[in-house]
Amino acid sequence: MTKWVVKDKDVFWPSEEMKKKANMSDPNIYGESLKDQVSFWASKASELFWFDKWKEAYQEDPPYFKWFVDGKTNLCFNCLDRHLDSRGDRPALIWVPEPPEEEGFTLTYRELHEKVCRFSNVLKGLGVKKGDRVGIYLPMIPETQIALLACARIGAIHTVVFSAFSTESLKDRLVDSGAKILITADGYYRRGKPIELKEKADKGVEGTEVEKVVVVKRLGSETKMKEGRDLDFNDIMENSEPECEPEKMESNENLFILYTSGTTGKPKGIIHDTGGYMVQAYLTTKWIFDLQDDDVFWCTADIGWVTGHTYACYGPLLNGGTMLTYEGSPDYPDLGVWWKIIQEKKISVFYTSPTAVRMFKKAGTGWIDKHDLSSLRLLGSVGEPIDREAWIWYFEKIGGGNCPILDTWWQTETGGILITALPGIGPFIPTVAGKPFPGTRLEVLDEDGKKTKQGQEGYLVQKKPFAPGMLRGVYGNPKKYMDTYWSKYGLDVYYPADGAIEQEGGNIKILGRSDDVMKVAGHRMSTAEMEDAINRHPNIAECAVVSKPDEIKGEVPVAFVILKNREPSDEMKKEIKKTTDKYIGPIARPAEIYFVEDVPKTRSGKIMRRILKNMLRGKDLGNITTLRNPECVDRLKEIIG
Ligand code: PRX
């Protein structure tokens, strides 16, 4: 067996074999790339196809910036057409359905290209033009990647809504983005059951500008189709032409909008451009996941999140790689399903969340030991801090003590990974993400904007020139863009709202969110959004939602609720959970609900969530005498116990 890592005390390094194999193994790349970041990224952009080369690689007008100005390209062309001659018959997408008795299939680059072209023509036939927004509300089936790529081909802006989000969430996003088309499915399989999606979609489009709904009949069920509005995906694909000219997109024209939670009640539509995003997706996949011809890459993220966009669709395809998509959940028909897939499909690069790792760690190794996982050579982690125990378990039990762990830090806003170790360079250190990706400048600052000393806690920031994959705005809300990212340290410093510590060798340890955003099983949730949802129940006078640590999910939401015209009861708790289901989705269900008489507030009436958070963590509450209602603190302590 090839050895991929070597140990040196508590730290791991790439083996000589790994260094030889890796796409990038020169440690000088960090220093070299920072000498002229713009030229660095421009040289990488040149590895991709452009109809017209850019006139200027980087331009800025803070807090706005552009990459590859006047360059014309097409992301879909770079993902598919570019590979047709050299690797048209290579597998692009391996699809594994959830029902064990159902056979999956593989689409080669040529097959995927044909389907994407057909669907691009379908969208054009429905009147979709460059710049139009297209909603995508689909499960993990190949039609999802086909839909994204088709939008990219014709220059339509896709906005994907996670299929487990509620009707109301879907509606909000469709309204905000002004989508005219929705692509959805009759349903999908989850934990052995067919899950209905179309009825949710039907309600979601009510009162929006959506004129046509394309329905993938994944379940083949007798779903109700609305005459004149709904179209069967398969029917319209059959009658569509298999060739479609890609739209020449100026690099800075929008590619997609993806909604994400912030500190206010409404999710923000994060805008990504075409060229910059493409270059970052391409290079990070190439150097971090090190994709090569013999690799099969499985990123387990749902397409509804940015990780699914960049590493379960665009990044692998930009590199001509082979990727796998699995429809189902990790525990059906049993906890062996992922490991069976890794064995059967010879997955070599595997990218998942710390929550999944902790879940399997708790379940014991019985499920894993039955399978041969020796095809693995790289393991990735994303979305939340990975604790030492989970890291070591992942390394030893899944990687057989032989695969680097790439703890990758990034955000919906950054479009692609910005901090991690590189597999050919290392080091791989438990709980430490690693160095800023070559060509990017990330630092840890104190409250006053000064660089922290090594080992000292501070706030993570990015300095200019900003990485090409970075967001280009908040859809329809420039003020929010300015306030959220560019107000803490000014217009030249991007503020992601994460705490961090820089360690020896410039490696960065991520501490997690420093604002009122929580990561529940890696899913980004906003306390304000959950509070807004709960407050819509007629018997709620007021509420505060904060996170509490959880052994598996990292964090879970806890709600402190003040009732009106109603007594506390289990029934009321159920109703609150139904309310968060309705307005957000089951992932926002509070793990615990406390009925209280008051919550700590400042003199101006702002809820002091920090005090509640510290209480749930058994931490010191600090000075509470400045509260308007310090007396409620003792009462709350009694309730929490
Ligand atoms: O707090 C950080 C955490 O996830 C946030 C971004 O969430 P989202 O936009 O949903 O994107 C997740 C996937 C890219 C960050 O602000 N986060 C992400 N990766 C890590 C992380 N926290 C610790 N370690 C990571 N590797």
Side-chain angles (χ1 to χ4, degrees), residues 609-627:
R609 295 193 189 100
R610 186 176 43 82
I611 292 188
L612 296 170
K613 229 173 143 174
N614 285 348
M615 245 183 222
L616 289 171
R617 285 163 174 76
K619 280 195 185 166
D620 178 31
L621 303 186
N623 181 6
I624 56 165
T625 55
T626 54
L627 291 179

Side-chain angles (χ1 to χ4, degrees), residues 260 305-307 351 381-386 407-413 419 433 496-498 510-513 519 522-524:
T260 190
W305 306 95
V306 75
T307 310
Y351 190 32
S381 166
V382 63
E384 38 172 336
I386 180 161
D407 175 0
T408 62
W409 177 89
W410 58 299
Q411 306 180 297
T412 307
E413 290 87 340
I419 303 179
D498 269 302
I510 308 289
L511 302 172
R513 299 292 301 197
K519 299 299 305 251
H523 297 145
R524 181 161 161 181

Side-chain angles (χ1 to χ4, degrees), residues 261-280:
S261 295
T263 48
T264 56
K266 248 174 92 71
K268 308 184 276 275
I270 300 300
I271 304 171
H272 281 287
D273 76 327
T274 302
Y277 172 84
M278 171 174 82
V279 174
Q280 197 174 323

Side-chain angles (χ1 to χ4, degrees), residues 557-603:
V558 174
F560 293 83
V561 173
I562 305 171
L563 293 175
K564 66 178 176 203
N565 309 326
R566 186 92 181 246
E567 291 302 313
S569 66
D570 284 346
E571 186 48 38
M572 188 61 212
K573 285 189 181 174
K574 273 192 207 142
E575 287 181 29
I576 290 173
K577 289 183 183 174
K578 270 198 199 143
T579 311
T580 46
D581 278 9
K582 178 170 177 206
Y583 292 108
I584 306 174
I587 53 169
R589 250 180 234 173
E592 268 167 54
I593 297 170
Y594 293 110
F595 294 113
V596 297
E597 280 147 28
D598 210 354
V599 287
K601 284 189 183 152
T602 60
R603 295 234 162 89

Side-chain angles (χ1 to χ4, degrees), residues 432-621:
V432 178
K435 288 194 239 311
F437 191 78
T440 70
R441 229 176 256 281
L442 285 103
E443 290 176 4
V444 182
L445 302 186
D446 66 15
E447 200 56 64
D448 303 324
K450 280 203 216 70
K451 216 168 171 281
T452 53
K453 290 202 191 74
Q454 282 194 352
Q456 189 190 332
E457 262 183 47
Y459 298 105
L460 185 67
V461 299
Q462 190 185 169
K463 297 244 173 111
K464 47 181 208 177
F466 301 104
M470 289 291 290
L471 81 162
R472 297 314 166 83
V474 171
Y475 195 71
N477 201 339
K479 185 172 178 320
K480 207 169 219 180
Y481 174 69
M482 181 72 98
D483 293 349
T484 313
Y485 309 108
W486 310 100
S487 63
K488 187 162 173 85
Y489 293 114
L491 300 187
D492 291 340
V493 180
Y494 170 78
Y495 173 65
D498 269 302
I501 303 177
E502 187 182 318
Q503 301 194 330
E504 218 184 306
N507 290 300
I508 296 177
K509 181 183 173 87
I510 308 289
L511 302 172
R513 299 292 301 197
S514 53
D515 58 1
D516 283 327
V517 167
M518 61 179 94
K519 299 299 305 251
V520 181
H523 297 145
R524 181 161 161 181
M525 310 291 310
S526 140
T527 51
E529 208 179 326
M530 287 188 241
E531 287 167 5
D532 276 13
I534 295 174
N535 283 334
R536 289 166 88 155
H537 189 289
N539 295 114
I540 305 288
E542 196 171 13
C543 80
V545 175
V546 293
S547 72
K548 164 183 147 167
D550 182 82
E551 198 193 343
I552 306 279
K553 295 182 178 176
E555 289 181 302
V556 287
V558 174
F560 293 83
V561 173
I562 305 171
L563 293 175
K564 66 178 176 203
N565 309 326
R566 186 92 181 246
E567 291 302 313
S569 66
D570 284 346
E571 186 48 38
M572 188 61 212
K573 285 189 181 174
K574 273 192 207 142
E575 287 181 29
I576 290 173
K577 289 183 183 174
K578 270 198 199 143
T579 311
T580 46
D581 278 9
K582 178 170 177 206
Y583 292 108
I584 306 174
I587 53 169
R589 250 180 234 173
E592 268 167 54
I593 297 170
Y594 293 110
F595 294 113
V596 297
E597 280 147 28
D598 210 354
V599 287
K601 284 189 183 152
T602 60
R603 295 234 162 89
S604 60
K606 235 182 94 194
I607 298 175
M608 289 292 287
R609 295 193 189 100
R610 186 176 43 82
I611 292 188
L612 296 170
K613 229 173 143 174
N614 285 348
M615 245 183 222
L616 289 171
R617 285 163 174 76
K619 280 195 185 166
D620 178 31
L621 303 186

